[in-house]
Amino acid sequence: MTEISLVESIAGIHPGEWDELEGGGIFANHAGLRLIEETSLAAPQFRYLTAREDSRLQAALVWRVERPDGRKPGLDRVLFGRLRGLLPWFGVRVLPAMTCGGLLCWRAGVLFRAGLPDAVRSRLFEALLARIEHEAERDRCTLCFREIPAGERVVSEVLASRGYLCSPELPVCYLDIQWDSFADYRRELRKSHPRAAKSIPNERSRGRRAGVVISEVEDPSSVAGELHQIADSHHRRLNGRPFPYRAEFFAKLKACLGDGVVVYAAVLQGQIIGMLVMFRDKKAGFVSIPGIKDGHVRRHAAYFNLMFNRPIEDAIKDGLERMYYGRLAYATKVRRGCRLAGANLFVRGRDGFSQAALRLLLAARAWRVKRMTAGLARA
């Protein structure tokens, strides 16, 4: 018999038991979720549905409720961007929404115990889905599952069988590490993007001449205020909104995640002018939180050295197999050797009318996503 339970905080689940699940990587481990819960500017963001059999945790969903709030992006912005203002003309309300996956990472929020057969995974997911659908119907919420990998068959088939609408996510850029040295990376890059390969020595030289030193911050808690100020300024400049976590986020990073996180700082004349957070999950690195101080974005090649050259060099030395570079700025990232990995999102409207309208709107969205990434190298 499968026992489904709703848990309001990750503190209500034993860390060792939770971390036996897989599918979300370091972002969905117990310490990472606790970090987000404790430092988010918003109210506690996550809820957890767990599936147990014989008292053993077998699967879980990590989800959050999104309500209309002009201060932060919601599912309506994710789905339709600037066109979300047209939704009332179609009589569609996307928010409130219950969203599973897609926060601080590019991973799904559907987790399973390792080694379960597909038939068992399917059965467990259907049991979890029935419960979360009940919650969504009761509260009249749109229900969305984000970041489902294109090759994830079990979850995708169950969602499709229950009438969820499928739409492509914007692809995530990744770089496969296949070289023994940074020089080998440059030589390989020269074959496909010679101008980018040629610019790398110039970028590194410009940084050295200016006196910019990029190094790993061993104790981010000692400079948490500076890191947060730069991240917040960068986030406001690009997104028009504050960085969604308090300064304690940087103070607690190493304490919570240990070797699972690397913080880089670009220092000029004793002042931090840029920072980058890279999460590490086994053999992969996730470049997640960049920040360049106002006035230094285009100076000293700080952006390229901090975002690409130094972390790629370290990834090669450390034996990582892949680096993830997130979304957007596709042309820049592809010129550095990145390819694009696809994923899908699945949506179920609040009612039959919303479902029908979303079907048309998501078809238009899929065309727009395809057009944005046409001609770029994919997996």
Side-chain angles (χ1 to χ4, degrees):
M1 178 177 173
T2 304
E3 177 188 353
I4 305 297
S5 300
L6 174 61
V7 183
E8 298 286 345
S9 169
I10 194 63
I13 305 173
H14 189 276
E17 183 181 45
W18 178 265
D19 288 342
E20 290 179 349
L21 302 179
E22 64 176 15
I26 190 171
F27 304 104
N29 71 14
H30 198 279
L33 292 167
R34 189 178 77 246
L35 173 68
I36 295 173
E37 283 189 3
E38 292 176 353
T39 63
S40 171
L41 287 177
Q45 297 185 12
F46 295 129
R47 288 177 154 183
Y48 310 87
L49 275 182
T50 62
R52 295 178 181 274
E53 292 185 339
D54 298 324
S55 300
R56 192 181 189 196
L57 185 61
Q58 300 287 354
L61 301 181
V62 183
W63 55 281
R64 64 194 184 277
V65 177
E66 302 181 66
R67 303 191 184 281
D69 185 348
R71 296 171 299 175
K72 58 183 181 181
L75 183 61
D76 54 346
R77 189 191 296 259
V78 168
L79 292 178
F80 304 113
R82 296 175 182 174
L83 299 180
R84 68 190 185 282
L86 298 177
L87 294 178
W89 292 91
F90 289 86
V92 176
R93 288 180 57 194
V94 173
L95 300 178
M98 293 164 59
T99 302
C100 182
L103 185 68
L104 193 66
C105 63
W106 315 289
R107 292 291 183 93
V110 186
L111 313 178
F112 296 99
R113 180 175 293 279
L116 293 177
D118 285 355
V120 175
R121 286 159 53 97
S122 179
R123 174 172 55 77
L124 290 168
F125 183 52
E126 286 185 342
L128 290 165
L129 199 54
R131 173 62 184 273
I132 199 171
E133 285 176 354
H134 172 75
E135 300 280 337
E137 290 167 1
R138 184 193 63 194
D139 296 336
R140 291 187 55 76
C141 288
T142 302
L143 192 50
C144 181
F145 288 80
R146 296 199 59 199
E147 310 294 353
I148 305 300
E152 168 53 70
R153 185 175 58 83
V154 170
V155 171
S156 298
E157 287 181 357
V158 171
L159 290 169
S161 72
R162 296 175 77 96
Y164 284 73
L165 305 173
C166 180
S167 182
E169 295 271 20
L170 284 172
V172 169
C173 296
Y174 71 92
L175 179 70
D176 278 336
I177 307 297
Q178 304 171 338
W179 317 281
D180 295 325
S181 68
F182 192 75
D184 289 343
Y185 160 67
R186 278 192 57 227
R187 279 192 288 270
E188 184 68 23
L189 188 65
R190 194 179 297 130
K191 299 176 184 178
S192 54
H193 300 284
R195 292 181 63 183
K198 184 177 180 180
S199 70
I200 289 174
N202 295 331
E203 292 162 359
R204 304 180 91 179
S205 178
R206 284 174 59 194
R208 285 193 298 268
R209 289 198 307 269
V212 177
V213 177
I214 296 175
S215 59
E216 183 177 339
V217 182
E218 297 293 341
D219 180 17
S221 65
S222 65
V223 288
E226 293 176 76
L227 297 176
H228 183 267
Q229 185 178 31
I230 293 172
D232 186 65
S233 174
H234 188 92
H235 204 271
R236 289 176 186 273
R237 184 171 64 246
L238 295 185
N239 303 299
R241 302 181 302 277
F243 183 67
Y245 302 97
R246 300 189 299 273
E248 291 91 332
F249 177 87
F250 295 100
K252 294 182 176 182
L253 263 177
K254 277 289 186 180
C256 286
L257 299 176
D259 292 338
V261 63
V262 177
V263 179
Y264 292 101
V267 179
L268 176 63
Q269 298 177 350
Q271 298 292 318
I272 298 177
I273 63 168
M275 48 79 63
L276 179 75
V277 177
M278 185 175 77
F279 298 96
R280 293 178 55 148
D281 178 10
K282 295 181 180 178
K283 290 294 185 178
F286 301 80
V287 175
S288 184
I289 305 173
I292 303 290
K293 208 168 187 177
D294 288 349
H296 294 276
V297 176
R298 299 183 183 278
R299 296 177 62 191
H300 323 308
Y303 172 81
F304 290 102
N305 286 323
L306 187 61
M307 186 82 170
F308 297 103
N309 298 334
R310 175 60 187 268
I312 291 174
E313 183 176 28
D314 285 355
I316 295 171
K317 290 178 181 177
D318 294 343
L320 296 187
E321 296 175 357
R322 178 172 284 192
M323 295 271 285
Y324 288 93
Y325 270 96
R327 297 191 168 97
L328 303 180
Y330 289 117
T332 297
K333 294 170 183 177
V334 167
R335 283 196 295 269
R336 295 286 163 153
C338 288
R339 298 177 66 85
L340 275 59
N344 295 312
L345 58 82
F346 290 81
V347 183
R348 193 182 79 158
R350 293 152 43 95
D351 49 42
F353 177 81
S354 293
Q355 185 81 343
L358 283 171
R359 188 183 302 276
L360 296 175
L361 292 167
L362 288 173
R365 177 184 182 275
W367 173 83
R368 182 167 173 262
V369 169
K370 183 177 180 180
R371 184 180 179 187
M372 285 178 63
T373 58
L376 296 177
R378 291 180 174 269

